[in-house]
PDB file of all heavy atoms in Angstrom:
ATOM      1  N   LEU A 714      22.820 -50.169   7.600  1.00 97.00           N
ATOM      2  CA  LEU A 714      24.225 -50.031   7.170  1.00 97.00           C
ATOM      3  C   LEU A 714      24.990 -49.122   8.126  1.00 97.00           C
ATOM      4  O   LEU A 714      26.180 -49.356   8.388  1.00 97.00           O
ATOM      5  CB  LEU A 714      24.290 -49.513   5.734  1.00 97.00           C
ATOM      6  CG  LEU A 714      23.839 -50.495   4.656  1.00 97.00           C
ATOM      7  CD1 LEU A 714      23.753 -49.805   3.302  1.00 97.00           C
ATOM      8  CD2 LEU A 714      24.770 -51.691   4.594  1.00 97.00           C
ATOM      9  N   LEU A 715      24.327 -48.094   8.672  1.00 97.00           N
ATOM     10  CA  LEU A 715      24.960 -47.215   9.660  1.00 97.00           C
ATOM     11  C   LEU A 715      25.302 -47.995  10.922  1.00 97.00           C
ATOM     12  O   LEU A 715      26.410 -47.857  11.481  1.00 97.00           O
ATOM     13  CB  LEU A 715      24.047 -46.034   9.979  1.00 97.00           C
ATOM     14  CG  LEU A 715      24.596 -45.027  10.986  1.00 97.00           C
ATOM     15  CD1 LEU A 715      25.872 -44.376  10.447  1.00 97.00           C
ATOM     16  CD2 LEU A 715      23.544 -43.971  11.284  1.00 97.00           C
ATOM     17  N   ARG A 716      24.362 -48.845  11.391  1.00 97.00           N
ATOM     18  CA  ARG A 716      24.645 -49.682  12.576  1.00 97.00           C
ATOM     19  C   ARG A 716      25.803 -50.639  12.296  1.00 97.00           C
ATOM     20  O   ARG A 716      26.642 -50.892  13.167  1.00 97.00           O
ATOM     21  CB  ARG A 716      23.399 -50.468  12.982  1.00 97.00           C
ATOM     22  CG  ARG A 716      22.359 -49.620  13.680  1.00 97.00           C
ATOM     23  CD  ARG A 716      21.263 -50.456  14.332  1.00 97.00           C
ATOM     24  NE  ARG A 716      20.503 -51.243  13.365  1.00 97.00           N
ATOM     25  CZ  ARG A 716      19.453 -50.786  12.692  1.00 97.00           C
ATOM     26  NH1 ARG A 716      19.026 -49.552  12.872  1.00 97.00           N
ATOM     27  NH2 ARG A 716      18.814 -51.559  11.841  1.00 97.00           N
ATOM     28  N   LEU A 717      25.890 -51.152  11.079  1.00 97.00           N
ATOM     29  CA  LEU A 717      27.002 -52.028  10.708  1.00 97.00           C
ATOM     30  C   LEU A 717      28.324 -51.267  10.768  1.00 97.00           C
ATOM     31  O   LEU A 717      29.315 -51.763  11.308  1.00 97.00           O
ATOM     32  CB  LEU A 717      26.765 -52.615   9.323  1.00 97.00           C
ATOM     33  CG  LEU A 717      27.900 -53.473   8.748  1.00 97.00           C
ATOM     34  CD1 LEU A 717      28.182 -54.682   9.645  1.00 97.00           C
ATOM     35  CD2 LEU A 717      27.547 -53.914   7.338  1.00 97.00           C
ATOM     36  N   ARG A 718      28.352 -50.059  10.216  1.00 96.00           N
ATOM     37  CA  ARG A 718      29.586 -49.247  10.245  1.00 96.00           C
ATOM     38  C   ARG A 718      30.010 -48.967  11.700  1.00 96.00           C
ATOM     39  O   ARG A 718      31.200 -49.051  12.025  1.00 96.00           O
ATOM     40  CB  ARG A 718      29.383 -47.937   9.508  1.00 96.00           C
ATOM     41  CG  ARG A 718      29.480 -48.050   8.037  1.00 96.00           C
ATOM     42  CD  ARG A 718      29.491 -46.682   7.347  1.00 96.00           C
ATOM     43  NE  ARG A 718      29.105 -46.824   5.961  1.00 96.00           N
ATOM     44  CZ  ARG A 718      27.857 -46.702   5.500  1.00 96.00           C
ATOM     45  NH1 ARG A 718      26.873 -46.392   6.305  1.00 96.00           N
ATOM     46  NH2 ARG A 718      27.599 -46.890   4.222  1.00 96.00           N
ATOM     47  N   LYS A 719      29.044 -48.620  12.565  1.00 96.00           N
ATOM     48  CA  LYS A 719      29.365 -48.341  13.960  1.00 96.00           C
ATOM     49  C   LYS A 719      29.926 -49.570  14.659  1.00 96.00           C
ATOM     50  O   LYS A 719      30.867 -49.473  15.442  1.00 96.00           O
ATOM     51  CB  LYS A 719      28.123 -47.820  14.690  1.00 96.00           C
ATOM     52  CG  LYS A 719      27.799 -46.397  14.325  1.00 96.00           C
ATOM     53  CD  LYS A 719      26.600 -45.886  15.110  1.00 96.00           C
ATOM     54  CE  LYS A 719      26.284 -44.453  14.725  1.00 96.00           C
ATOM     55  NZ  LYS A 719      25.112 -43.945  15.443  1.00 96.00           N
ATOM     56  N   ALA A 720      29.351 -50.720  14.389  1.00 96.00           N
ATOM     57  CA  ALA A 720      29.861 -51.972  14.983  1.00 96.00           C
ATOM     58  C   ALA A 720      31.273 -52.249  14.487  1.00 96.00           C
ATOM     59  O   ALA A 720      32.137 -52.702  15.259  1.00 96.00           O
ATOM     60  CB  ALA A 720      28.923 -53.131  14.646  1.00 96.00           C
ATOM     61  N   ALA A 721      31.524 -51.987  13.214  1.00 95.00           N
ATOM     62  CA  ALA A 721      32.852 -52.257  12.642  1.00 95.00           C
ATOM     63  C   ALA A 721      33.905 -51.295  13.175  1.00 95.00           C
ATOM     64  O   ALA A 721      35.098 -51.626  13.190  1.00 95.00           O
ATOM     65  CB  ALA A 721      32.769 -52.161  11.121  1.00 95.00           C
ATOM     66  N   GLN A 722      33.496 -50.121  13.642  1.00 95.00           N
ATOM     67  CA  GLN A 722      34.452 -49.140  14.170  1.00 95.00           C
ATOM     68  C   GLN A 722      35.009 -49.556  15.534  1.00 95.00           C
ATOM     69  O   GLN A 722      36.081 -49.135  15.907  1.00 95.00           O
ATOM     70  CB  GLN A 722      33.807 -47.764  14.272  1.00 95.00           C
ATOM     71  CG  GLN A 722      33.574 -47.126  12.924  1.00 95.00           C
ATOM     72  CD  GLN A 722      32.722 -45.859  13.006  1.00 95.00           C
ATOM     73  OE1 GLN A 722      32.187 -45.533  14.067  1.00 95.00           O
ATOM     74  NE2 GLN A 722      32.598 -45.191  11.885  1.00 95.00           N
ATOM     75  N   GLY A 723      34.259 -50.357  16.261  1.00 92.00           N
ATOM     76  CA  GLY A 723      34.698 -50.778  17.583  1.00 92.00           C
ATOM     77  C   GLY A 723      35.056 -52.248  17.592  1.00 92.00           C
ATOM     78  O   GLY A 723      35.461 -52.834  16.582  1.00 92.00           O
ATOM     79  N   ASP A 724      34.865 -52.840  18.757  1.00 91.00           N
ATOM     80  CA  ASP A 724      35.170 -54.273  18.928  1.00 91.00           C
ATOM     81  C   ASP A 724      33.907 -55.130  18.893  1.00 91.00           C
ATOM     82  O   ASP A 724      33.950 -56.310  19.251  1.00 91.00           O
ATOM     83  CB  ASP A 724      35.890 -54.505  20.253  1.00 91.00           C
ATOM     84  CG  ASP A 724      37.287 -53.919  20.248  1.00 91.00           C
ATOM     85  OD1 ASP A 724      37.859 -53.783  19.148  1.00 91.00           O
ATOM     86  OD2 ASP A 724      37.811 -53.591  21.330  1.00 91.00           O
ATOM     87  N   ALA A 725      32.798 -54.547  18.482  1.00 90.00           N
ATOM     88  CA  ALA A 725      31.522 -55.283  18.484  1.00 90.00           C
ATOM     89  C   ALA A 725      31.519 -56.352  17.390  1.00 90.00           C
ATOM     90  O   ALA A 725      32.234 -56.270  16.393  1.00 90.00           O
ATOM     91  CB  ALA A 725      30.360 -54.312  18.266  1.00 90.00           C
ATOM     92  N   ASN A 726      30.666 -57.321  17.608  1.00 94.00           N
ATOM     93  CA  ASN A 726      30.464 -58.383  16.622  1.00 94.00           C
ATOM     94  C   ASN A 726      29.668 -57.791  15.452  1.00 94.00           C
ATOM     95  O   ASN A 726      28.576 -57.265  15.635  1.00 94.00           O
ATOM     96  CB  ASN A 726      29.689 -59.525  17.281  1.00 94.00           C
ATOM     97  CG  ASN A 726      29.532 -60.722  16.381  1.00 94.00           C
ATOM     98  OD1 ASN A 726      29.748 -60.657  15.178  1.00 94.00           O
ATOM     99  ND2 ASN A 726      29.144 -61.839  16.973  1.00 94.00           N
ATOM    100  N   VAL A 727      30.207 -57.877  14.245  1.00 95.00           N
ATOM    101  CA  VAL A 727      29.535 -57.282  13.082  1.00 95.00           C
ATOM    102  C   VAL A 727      28.525 -58.237  12.454  1.00 95.00           C
ATOM    103  O   VAL A 727      27.763 -57.829  11.574  1.00 95.00           O
ATOM    104  CB  VAL A 727      30.546 -56.817  12.005  1.00 95.00           C
ATOM    105  CG1 VAL A 727      31.430 -55.719  12.547  1.00 95.00           C
ATOM    106  CG2 VAL A 727      31.355 -57.973  11.470  1.00 95.00           C
ATOM    107  N   LEU A 728      28.471 -59.480  12.910  1.00 96.00           N
ATOM    108  CA  LEU A 728      27.573 -60.450  12.295  1.00 96.00           C
ATOM    109  C   LEU A 728      26.107 -60.035  12.414  1.00 96.00           C
ATOM    110  O   LEU A 728      25.364 -60.072  11.433  1.00 96.00           O
ATOM    111  CB  LEU A 728      27.776 -61.836  12.917  1.00 96.00           C
ATOM    112  CG  LEU A 728      26.852 -62.931  12.374  1.00 96.00           C
ATOM    113  CD1 LEU A 728      27.093 -63.141  10.878  1.00 96.00           C
ATOM    114  CD2 LEU A 728      27.033 -64.212  13.134  1.00 96.00           C
ATOM    115  N   TYR A 729      25.700 -59.610  13.597  1.00 97.00           N
ATOM    116  CA  TYR A 729      24.284 -59.300  13.798  1.00 97.00           C
ATOM    117  C   TYR A 729      23.855 -58.056  13.007  1.00 97.00           C
ATOM    118  O   TYR A 729      22.820 -58.087  12.336  1.00 97.00           O
ATOM    119  CB  TYR A 729      23.971 -59.176  15.284  1.00 97.00           C
ATOM    120  CG  TYR A 729      24.244 -60.489  15.999  1.00 97.00           C
ATOM    121  CD1 TYR A 729      25.307 -60.614  16.876  1.00 97.00           C
ATOM    122  CD2 TYR A 729      23.460 -61.603  15.738  1.00 97.00           C
ATOM    123  CE1 TYR A 729      25.584 -61.824  17.495  1.00 97.00           C
ATOM    124  CE2 TYR A 729      23.726 -62.811  16.359  1.00 97.00           C
ATOM    125  CZ  TYR A 729      24.780 -62.928  17.236  1.00 97.00           C
ATOM    126  OH  TYR A 729      25.047 -64.121  17.835  1.00 97.00           O
ATOM    127  N   PRO A 730      24.621 -56.958  13.042  1.00 97.00           N
ATOM    128  CA  PRO A 730      24.224 -55.818  12.203  1.00 97.00           C
ATOM    129  C   PRO A 730      24.301 -56.152  10.710  1.00 97.00           C
ATOM    130  O   PRO A 730      23.505 -55.632   9.913  1.00 97.00           O
ATOM    131  CB  PRO A 730      25.210 -54.713  12.564  1.00 97.00           C
ATOM    132  CG  PRO A 730      25.948 -55.164  13.746  1.00 97.00           C
ATOM    133  CD  PRO A 730      25.705 -56.622  13.939  1.00 97.00           C
ATOM    134  N   MET A 731      25.196 -57.019  10.336  1.00 97.00           N
ATOM    135  CA  MET A 731      25.283 -57.439   8.932  1.00 97.00           C
ATOM    136  C   MET A 731      24.029 -58.203   8.530  1.00 97.00           C
ATOM    137  O   MET A 731      23.449 -57.965   7.466  1.00 97.00           O
ATOM    138  CB  MET A 731      26.526 -58.317   8.712  1.00 97.00           C
ATOM    139  CG  MET A 731      26.776 -58.682   7.267  1.00 97.00           C
ATOM    140  SD  MET A 731      28.177 -59.808   7.024  1.00 97.00           S
ATOM    141  CE  MET A 731      29.488 -58.977   7.850  1.00 97.00           C
ATOM    142  N   ARG A 732      23.572 -59.103   9.385  1.00 97.00           N
ATOM    143  CA  ARG A 732      22.340 -59.852   9.113  1.00 97.00           C
ATOM    144  C   ARG A 732      21.150 -58.914   9.030  1.00 97.00           C
ATOM    145  O   ARG A 732      20.272 -59.086   8.182  1.00 97.00           O
ATOM    146  CB  ARG A 732      22.128 -60.912  10.186  1.00 97.00           C
ATOM    147  CG  ARG A 732      23.118 -62.067  10.057  1.00 97.00           C
ATOM    148  CD  ARG A 732      22.961 -63.082  11.149  1.00 97.00           C
ATOM    149  NE  ARG A 732      21.619 -63.685  11.072  1.00 97.00           N
ATOM    150  CZ  ARG A 732      21.132 -64.484  12.002  1.00 97.00           C
ATOM    151  NH1 ARG A 732      21.833 -64.762  13.069  1.00 97.00           N
ATOM    152  NH2 ARG A 732      19.925 -64.998  11.868  1.00 97.00           N
ATOM    153  N   GLU A 733      21.104 -57.901   9.894  1.00 97.00           N
ATOM    154  CA  GLU A 733      20.019 -56.930   9.863  1.00 97.00           C
ATOM    155  C   GLU A 733      20.019 -56.151   8.550  1.00 97.00           C
ATOM    156  O   GLU A 733      18.957 -55.901   7.971  1.00 97.00           O
ATOM    157  CB  GLU A 733      20.127 -55.964  11.034  1.00 97.00           C
ATOM    158  CG  GLU A 733      19.830 -56.581  12.384  1.00 97.00           C
ATOM    159  CD  GLU A 733      20.123 -55.637  13.525  1.00 97.00           C
ATOM    160  OE1 GLU A 733      20.349 -54.428  13.290  1.00 97.00           O
ATOM    161  OE2 GLU A 733      20.127 -56.106  14.681  1.00 97.00           O
ATOM    162  N   ALA A 734      21.191 -55.760   8.107  1.00 97.00           N
ATOM    163  CA  ALA A 734      21.288 -55.005   6.854  1.00 97.00           C
ATOM    164  C   ALA A 734      20.834 -55.866   5.672  1.00 97.00           C
ATOM    165  O   ALA A 734      20.101 -55.402   4.794  1.00 97.00           O
ATOM    166  CB  ALA A 734      22.731 -54.521   6.635  1.00 97.00           C
ATOM    167  N   LEU A 735      21.236 -57.119   5.670  1.00 96.00           N
ATOM    168  CA  LEU A 735      20.809 -58.014   4.581  1.00 96.00           C
ATOM    169  C   LEU A 735      19.317 -58.293   4.652  1.00 96.00           C
ATOM    170  O   LEU A 735      18.652 -58.380   3.610  1.00 96.00           O
ATOM    171  CB  LEU A 735      21.625 -59.313   4.614  1.00 96.00           C
ATOM    172  CG  LEU A 735      23.114 -59.156   4.292  1.00 96.00           C
ATOM    173  CD1 LEU A 735      23.869 -60.428   4.635  1.00 96.00           C
ATOM    174  CD2 LEU A 735      23.314 -58.763   2.849  1.00 96.00           C
ATOM    175  N   ALA A 736      18.773 -58.406   5.865  1.00 96.00           N
ATOM    176  CA  ALA A 736      17.337 -58.617   6.018  1.00 96.00           C
ATOM    177  C   ALA A 736      16.548 -57.393   5.551  1.00 96.00           C
ATOM    178  O   ALA A 736      15.429 -57.524   5.063  1.00 96.00           O
ATOM    179  CB  ALA A 736      17.011 -58.938   7.468  1.00 96.00           C
ATOM    180  N   ALA A 737      17.164 -56.207   5.673  1.00 96.00           N
ATOM    181  CA  ALA A 737      16.518 -54.974   5.188  1.00 96.00           C
ATOM    182  C   ALA A 737      16.676 -54.831   3.677  1.00 96.00           C
ATOM    183  O   ALA A 737      16.225 -53.854   3.104  1.00 96.00           O
ATOM    184  CB  ALA A 737      17.115 -53.761   5.905  1.00 96.00           C
ATOM    185  N   ARG A 738      17.291 -55.789   3.058  1.00 96.00           N
ATOM    186  CA  ARG A 738      17.495 -55.869   1.602  1.00 96.00           C
ATOM    187  C   ARG A 738      18.669 -55.030   1.109  1.00 96.00           C
ATOM    188  O   ARG A 738      18.688 -54.581  -0.030  1.00 96.00           O
ATOM    189  CB  ARG A 738      16.234 -55.515   0.829  1.00 96.00           C
ATOM    190  CG  ARG A 738      15.070 -56.441   1.083  1.00 96.00           C
ATOM    191  CD  ARG A 738      15.408 -57.827   0.595  1.00 96.00           C
ATOM    192  NE  ARG A 738      14.253 -58.721   0.727  1.00 96.00           N
ATOM    193  CZ  ARG A 738      14.307 -59.878   1.362  1.00 96.00           C
ATOM    194  NH1 ARG A 738      15.420 -60.277   1.905  1.00 96.00           N
ATOM    195  NH2 ARG A 738      13.252 -60.647   1.437  1.00 96.00           N
ATOM    196  N   ALA A 739      19.680 -54.814   1.966  1.00 96.00           N
ATOM    197  CA  ALA A 739      20.935 -54.239   1.472  1.00 96.00           C
ATOM    198  C   ALA A 739      21.596 -55.298   0.619  1.00 96.00           C
ATOM    199  O   ALA A 739      21.452 -56.500   0.869  1.00 96.00           O
ATOM    200  CB  ALA A 739      21.841 -53.869   2.651  1.00 96.00           C
ATOM    201  N   THR A 740      22.304 -54.882  -0.394  1.00 95.00           N
ATOM    202  CA  THR A 740      22.993 -55.844  -1.248  1.00 95.00           C
ATOM    203  C   THR A 740      24.314 -56.252  -0.582  1.00 95.00           C
ATOM    204  O   THR A 740      24.819 -55.568   0.304  1.00 95.00           O
ATOM    205  CB  THR A 740      23.301 -55.259  -2.636  1.00 95.00           C
ATOM    206  OG1 THR A 740      24.226 -54.177  -2.498  1.00 95.00           O
ATOM    207  CG2 THR A 740      22.034 -54.771  -3.324  1.00 95.00           C
ATOM    208  N   VAL A 741      24.864 -57.360  -1.025  1.00 95.00           N
ATOM    209  CA  VAL A 741      26.162 -57.813  -0.505  1.00 95.00           C
ATOM    210  C   VAL A 741      27.215 -56.755  -0.804  1.00 95.00           C
ATOM    211  O   VAL A 741      28.083 -56.473   0.026  1.00 95.00           O
ATOM    212  CB  VAL A 741      26.545 -59.175  -1.118  1.00 95.00           C
ATOM    213  CG1 VAL A 741      27.960 -59.562  -0.729  1.00 95.00           C
ATOM    214  CG2 VAL A 741      25.560 -60.247  -0.671  1.00 95.00           C
ATOM    215  N   GLY A 742      27.132 -56.127  -1.959  1.00 94.00           N
ATOM    216  CA  GLY A 742      28.076 -55.067  -2.313  1.00 94.00           C
ATOM    217  C   GLY A 742      27.982 -53.889  -1.351  1.00 94.00           C
ATOM    218  O   GLY A 742      29.004 -53.316  -0.963  1.00 94.00           O
ATOM    219  N   GLU A 743      26.768 -53.508  -0.956  1.00 96.00           N
ATOM    220  CA  GLU A 743      26.595 -52.400  -0.013  1.00 96.00           C
ATOM    221  C   GLU A 743      27.154 -52.757   1.359  1.00 96.00           C
ATOM    222  O   GLU A 743      27.768 -51.922   2.023  1.00 96.00           O
ATOM    223  CB  GLU A 743      25.119 -52.022   0.084  1.00 96.00           C
ATOM    224  CG  GLU A 743      24.598 -51.353  -1.177  1.00 96.00           C
ATOM    225  CD  GLU A 743      23.084 -51.205  -1.202  1.00 96.00           C
ATOM    226  OE1 GLU A 743      22.383 -52.100  -0.658  1.00 96.00           O
ATOM    227  OE2 GLU A 743      22.628 -50.212  -1.770  1.00 96.00           O
ATOM    228  N   VAL A 744      26.958 -53.998   1.782  1.00 97.00           N
ATOM    229  CA  VAL A 744      27.498 -54.445   3.058  1.00 97.00           C
ATOM    230  C   VAL A 744      29.027 -54.416   3.009  1.00 97.00           C
ATOM    231  O   VAL A 744      29.693 -53.920   3.926  1.00 97.00           O
ATOM    232  CB  VAL A 744      26.967 -55.860   3.419  1.00 97.00           C
ATOM    233  CG1 VAL A 744      27.740 -56.455   4.579  1.00 97.00           C
ATOM    234  CG2 VAL A 744      25.479 -55.798   3.715  1.00 97.00           C
ATOM    235  N   CYS A 745      29.592 -54.924   1.924  1.00 96.00           N
ATOM    236  CA  CYS A 745      31.053 -54.914   1.779  1.00 96.00           C
ATOM    237  C   CYS A 745      31.595 -53.493   1.734  1.00 96.00           C
ATOM    238  O   CYS A 745      32.631 -53.196   2.332  1.00 96.00           O
ATOM    239  CB  CYS A 745      31.468 -55.679   0.519  1.00 96.00           C
ATOM    240  SG  CYS A 745      31.187 -57.436   0.627  1.00 96.00           S
ATOM    241  N   ASP A 746      30.883 -52.590   1.048  1.00 96.00           N
ATOM    242  CA  ASP A 746      31.312 -51.191   0.996  1.00 96.00           C
ATOM    243  C   ASP A 746      31.295 -50.559   2.395  1.00 96.00           C
ATOM    244  O   ASP A 746      32.186 -49.778   2.737  1.00 96.00           O
ATOM    245  CB  ASP A 746      30.422 -50.386   0.058  1.00 96.00           C
ATOM    246  CG  ASP A 746      30.676 -50.695  -1.413  1.00 96.00           C
ATOM    247  OD1 ASP A 746      31.751 -51.252  -1.731  1.00 96.00           O
ATOM    248  OD2 ASP A 746      29.801 -50.355  -2.240  1.00 96.00           O
ATOM    249  N   ALA A 747      30.282 -50.888   3.197  1.00 96.00           N
ATOM    250  CA  ALA A 747      30.202 -50.350   4.553  1.00 96.00           C
ATOM    251  C   ALA A 747      31.401 -50.812   5.385  1.00 96.00           C
ATOM    252  O   ALA A 747      32.013 -50.017   6.108  1.00 96.00           O
ATOM    253  CB  ALA A 747      28.892 -50.771   5.213  1.00 96.00           C
ATOM    254  N   LEU A 748      31.745 -52.086   5.276  1.00 95.00           N
ATOM    255  CA  LEU A 748      32.899 -52.596   6.014  1.00 95.00           C
ATOM    256  C   LEU A 748      34.199 -52.030   5.467  1.00 95.00           C
ATOM    257  O   LEU A 748      35.106 -51.685   6.224  1.00 95.00           O
ATOM    258  CB  LEU A 748      32.910 -54.130   5.981  1.00 95.00           C
ATOM    259  CG  LEU A 748      31.738 -54.812   6.670  1.00 95.00           C
ATOM    260  CD1 LEU A 748      31.776 -56.312   6.445  1.00 95.00           C
ATOM    261  CD2 LEU A 748      31.747 -54.496   8.164  1.00 95.00           C
ATOM    262  N   ARG A 749      34.295 -51.937   4.155  1.00 94.00           N
ATOM    263  CA  ARG A 749      35.498 -51.416   3.509  1.00 94.00           C
ATOM    264  C   ARG A 749      35.711 -49.951   3.896  1.00 94.00           C
ATOM    265  O   ARG A 749      36.856 -49.522   4.088  1.00 94.00           O
ATOM    266  CB  ARG A 749      35.358 -51.562   1.997  1.00 94.00           C
ATOM    267  CG  ARG A 749      36.658 -51.575   1.250  1.00 94.00           C
ATOM    268  CD  ARG A 749      36.464 -51.826  -0.237  1.00 94.00           C
ATOM    269  NE  ARG A 749      35.940 -53.155  -0.516  1.00 94.00           N
ATOM    270  CZ  ARG A 749      34.776 -53.412  -1.110  1.00 94.00           C
ATOM    271  NH1 ARG A 749      34.000 -52.441  -1.531  1.00 94.00           N
ATOM    272  NH2 ARG A 749      34.382 -54.644  -1.311  1.00 94.00           N
ATOM    273  N   SER A 750      34.633 -49.183   4.017  1.00 93.00           N
ATOM    274  CA  SER A 750      34.778 -47.760   4.370  1.00 93.00           C
ATOM    275  C   SER A 750      35.305 -47.601   5.790  1.00 93.00           C
ATOM    276  O   SER A 750      35.929 -46.595   6.115  1.00 93.00           O
ATOM    277  CB  SER A 750      33.436 -47.041   4.224  1.00 93.00           C
ATOM    278  OG  SER A 750      32.531 -47.442   5.226  1.00 93.00           O
ATOM    279  N   THR A 751      35.077 -48.593   6.634  1.00 92.00           N
ATOM    280  CA  THR A 751      35.557 -48.544   8.014  1.00 92.00           C
ATOM    281  C   THR A 751      36.924 -49.192   8.162  1.00 92.00           C
ATOM    282  O   THR A 751      37.828 -48.638   8.770  1.00 92.00           O
ATOM    283  CB  THR A 751      34.558 -49.252   8.947  1.00 92.00           C
ATOM    284  OG1 THR A 751      33.285 -48.648   8.774  1.00 92.00           O
ATOM    285  CG2 THR A 751      34.985 -49.142  10.390  1.00 92.00           C
ATOM    286  N   TRP A 752      37.080 -50.352   7.596  1.00 92.00           N
ATOM    287  CA  TRP A 752      38.306 -51.124   7.784  1.00 92.00           C
ATOM    288  C   TRP A 752      39.357 -50.876   6.707  1.00 92.00           C
ATOM    289  O   TRP A 752      40.519 -51.218   6.889  1.00 92.00           O
ATOM    290  CB  TRP A 752      37.998 -52.626   7.816  1.00 92.00           C
ATOM    291  CG  TRP A 752      37.210 -53.061   8.999  1.00 92.00           C
ATOM    292  CD1 TRP A 752      37.089 -52.430  10.198  1.00 92.00           C
ATOM    293  CD2 TRP A 752      36.448 -54.265   9.112  1.00 92.00           C
ATOM    294  NE1 TRP A 752      36.301 -53.147  11.050  1.00 92.00           N
ATOM    295  CE2 TRP A 752      35.885 -54.288  10.413  1.00 92.00           C
ATOM    296  CE3 TRP A 752      36.189 -55.314   8.262  1.00 92.00           C
ATOM    297  CZ2 TRP A 752      35.097 -55.330  10.863  1.00 92.00           C
ATOM    298  CZ3 TRP A 752      35.399 -56.349   8.692  1.00 92.00           C
ATOM    299  CH2 TRP A 752      34.848 -56.358   9.985  1.00 92.00           C
TER     300      TRP A 752
END
């Protein structure tokens, strides 16, 4: 989720860190919260 937030802060593609977070068993809500906290 930290890697996802860092990707969302810049111009990086968030798809790959998002997939990693979901593969680590983060919930969809946690992923959305990570993006929401940045964007």
